Amino acid sequence: MGSGASSQEGVKAASKEELAAAFKDLPAEQQAKVKEALAAASGAASGGAGGAACPGPVDCSCITTVAKDYKGLCDQPKEPKFKGALCQIYVRSAPYGGSDK
């Protein structure tokens, strides 16, 4: 095993307070790398494209996202003039997601 195996065991055994204290001791450069890695990991875990549950300026982290991909949607603007969301209702127990489309 590589050197990462022993550090993984230490992280698993550490409390939230110990991890927070260790994070505060890191230089700003390394803190930024850790934040980027955590953001990428949480995006991959949620199944979103581009590392986010729903890419764009609207925070929809509390909504269950079942999208497999975002093909057909344009990239979100960096500085939007207003915020909006595209929603779809899909009833899993109804044929073709329901008749109210």
Side-chain angles (χ1 to χ4, degrees):
M1 281 195 224
S3 63
S6 60
S7 65
Q8 287 179 0
E9 293 301 319
V11 170
K12 288 179 184 177
S15 68
K16 289 182 184 180
E17 293 78 18
E18 292 171 329
L19 292 173
F23 181 76
K24 287 179 183 176
D25 291 341
L26 292 175
E29 227 174 70
Q30 290 180 351
Q31 286 184 4
K33 285 183 181 180
V34 170
K35 287 179 183 179
E36 288 175 20
L38 290 173
S42 67
S46 65
C54 31
V58 177
D59 176 23
C60 59
S61 59
C62 62
I63 299 173
T64 303
T65 305
V66 293
K68 294 183 176 102
D69 59 51
Y70 295 99
K71 292 180 182 175
L73 293 179
C74 297
D75 290 337
Q76 300 297 310
K78 298 293 180 201
E79 297 180 22
K81 295 179 181 170
F82 55 90
K83 295 181 181 183
L86 175 65
C87 300
Q88 177 182 2
I89 306 297
Y90 187 86
V91 182
R92 294 181 185 179
S93 61
Y96 304 107
S99 61
D100 60 336
K101 306 292 177 264

